[in-house]
Amino acid sequence: MNGDSTGRAIRWSTVAAVAVVAGIAGWASYEHAYQVVSAHGEFGLVARFYPGTIDGLIYAASMVLLDSARRQMPAPGLARWLLAAGIAAT
C-alpha cells in the first residue's frame, strides 16, 4: 500500500467505526425513548415516532450549527436553544 491508499483505508475504517457506533447508540436511544413513552401511556404510531422527533431535532440543530461554523458565521441562537432542548428531552 502506498501512502494515498493507506490514508484512504484509514479514513474509510474510521467512517465504518463511527457508523457502527452511531447505529448502536441510535438503536439504544430509540429503544429507551420508546420504552419511556410506552410506560407513560402512549402506544401505536405516537409511541413509535416520538423518539424520532427528539433525535431529528438534535440532528437538525446540530447541522445548522455545523453549517454556521463551516461558513464562519455566527450560529443562530435558536439552533443552540433547540439543541439544548433536544438534549434535555432525551
Side-chain angles (χ1 to χ4, degrees):
M1 276 190 172
N2 63 27
D4 186 43
S5 61
T6 301
R8 190 174 303 125
I10 291 169
R11 282 190 300 277
W12 280 109
S13 68
T14 302
V15 167
V18 169
V20 167
V21 170
I24 292 168
W27 173 77
S29 173
Y30 176 85
E31 285 297 318
H32 179 257
Y34 175 72
Q35 289 173 3
V36 169
V37 170
S38 296
H40 286 85
E42 289 294 343
F43 298 99
L45 289 177
V46 172
R48 288 285 172 201
F49 286 127
Y50 184 79
T53 62
I54 295 170
D55 291 340
L57 177 65
I58 292 171
Y59 178 79
S62 297
M63 291 301 102
V64 169
L65 294 173
L66 177 61
D67 184 60
S68 296
R70 291 182 65 147
R71 294 174 188 246
Q72 297 179 346
M73 297 176 63
L78 182 59
R80 292 180 189 273
W81 280 101
L82 291 176
L83 179 60
I87 291 169
T90 62

